[in-house]
Amino acid sequence: MVTMVDIDLDTMRTSAARTCSMLKTLSNPDRLLLLCQISQGESCVSDLEDALDIHQPTLSQQLGVLRDEGLVDTRRDGKFIYYSIASKQALAVMQVLYEQFCEVKPKRAKG
Amino acid sequence: MVTMVDIDLDTMRTSAARTCSMLKTLSNPDRLLLLCQISQGESCVSDLEDALDIHQPTLSQQLGVLRDEGLVDTRRDGKFIYYSIASKQALAVMQVLYEQFCEVKPKRAKG
DNA sequence: ATTACATTATATTAATACGTATTATATTGA
DNA sequence: TCAATATAATACGTATTAATATAATGTAAT
């Protein structure tokens, strides 16, 4: 169990709405992988395309969703556009998701 | 930035799919509040109804979704059915969401 | 046992909206 | 003019949600 202070229902609903908005954005495999990749370090679109094997218009569309939700920032360098994580909240969530769903824990000997 | 070990694309996609499945389940304000409430301690349906002001069939429907996804367990005691968190992964995610979206940090004086 | 009531779940439907993939085209910069 | 990226337009299927009604299970009283 987890300790959370008691807050009123309106406040809770407001927070829940903001939270759900982010969660929905994360609830797509392509976007999740994109964020995962970008959270490893700034990446340009063609890097992401190579790394994740998502084809370009889809990639661009989903990156657009991430931008609209404010989860990523962009920076242009010549022909390339570099993406980075803009939301510390998203980063915190990604970190836990990684720990819970991707990290393999070494098994301990019984005893 | 966050440190994650490099894993192959198939494995990543498999993990992403499982992760998205849970995220989708969390991506609804009613369900999120339900989980939040239940993570505070085992609750029966009428408690949840009172606490969250969601009407009964909706409540039951959304609890069904949480059950189907394996996020909650139930236990009957007479007329009442008690819900509790079944997934440590969900609990971990709820904890971070709470920290990131609900917790109010006291402001420090400058300097 | 039967009745009645409280608690929770299920079924059904209607309305709406959403997500995604695809193809084509536009923009920007070297 | 080519490479990198974004946008537009469309089309398809399907998911989401709320609402209403009804069923199932348990308890208590008679």
Side-chain angles (χ1 to χ4, degrees):
Chain A
M1 193 198 315
V2 155
T3 301
M4 305 179 185
V5 299
D6 210 9
I7 51 181
D8 75 277
L9 193 51
D10 275 0
T11 306
M12 283 174 71
R13 288 213 167 273
T14 302
S15 301
R18 285 193 310 128
T19 307
C20 282
S21 165
M22 161 171 289
L23 290 174
K24 277 189 78 167
T25 306
L26 302 185
S27 298
N28 168 283
D30 287 339
R31 288 194 296 267
L32 197 60
L33 290 176
L34 284 170
L35 276 178
C36 188
Q37 200 69 25
I38 295 168
S39 68
Q40 303 297 98
E42 208 190 36
S43 324
C44 70
V45 180
S46 47
D47 288 348
L48 295 168
E49 194 176 355
D50 292 347
L52 301 178
D53 197 30
I54 302 172
H55 85 199
Q56 189 270 321
T58 300
L59 204 52
S60 201
Q61 199 177 354
Q62 301 303 353
L63 287 171
V65 175
L66 296 176
R67 265 183 277 125
D68 291 347
E69 185 71 9
L71 303 189
V72 294
D73 273 338
T74 59
R75 166 179 81 80
R76 180 183 276 277
D77 181 8
K79 288 193 283 192
F80 301 90
I81 295 184
Y82 286 88
Y83 281 78
S84 57
I85 302 288
S87 158
K88 77 176 202 338
Q89 299 176 324
L91 195 58
V93 173
M94 291 302 294
Q95 174 66 41
V96 181
L97 293 177
Y98 183 79
E99 288 164 10
Q100 295 296 321
F101 292 92
C102 300
E103 221 163 48
V104 179
K105 273 150 204 150
K107 284 184 185 157
R108 273 168 165 267
K110 290 182 195 167
Chain B
M1 195 198 318
V2 154
T3 302
M4 306 177 184
V5 299
D6 210 8
I7 52 183
D8 75 277
L9 192 50
D10 275 359
T11 306
M12 284 175 71
R13 288 214 166 272
T14 302
S15 301
R18 285 193 312 127
T19 307
C20 283
S21 166
M22 161 171 291
L23 291 174
K24 276 190 79 168
T25 306
L26 302 185
S27 297
N28 167 285
D30 287 339
R31 289 194 295 268
L32 196 60
L33 290 176
L34 284 170
L35 276 178
C36 188
Q37 200 69 25
I38 296 168
S39 70
Q40 303 297 97
E42 208 191 36
S43 324
C44 70
V45 180
S46 44
D47 288 348
L48 295 169
E49 196 177 354
D50 292 347
L52 301 179
D53 197 30
I54 302 172
H55 88 196
Q56 189 271 321
T58 301
L59 205 52
S60 201
Q61 197 179 351
Q62 301 303 353
L63 287 170
V65 176
L66 297 176
R67 264 183 277 128
D68 292 347
E69 185 70 9
L71 303 190
V72 295
D73 273 338
T74 59
R75 165 180 82 78
R76 180 183 274 277
D77 181 7
K79 286 192 285 193
F80 300 90
I81 296 181
Y82 286 88
Y83 281 78
S84 56
I85 301 288
S87 158
K88 77 177 202 339
Q89 299 175 324
L91 195 58
V93 173
M94 291 302 295
Q95 174 66 40
V96 181
L97 293 177
Y98 183 80
E99 288 164 10
Q100 295 295 321
F101 292 93
C102 299
E103 220 162 49
V104 179
K105 274 150 203 150
K107 284 183 186 161
R108 272 167 166 268
K110 290 182 196 168

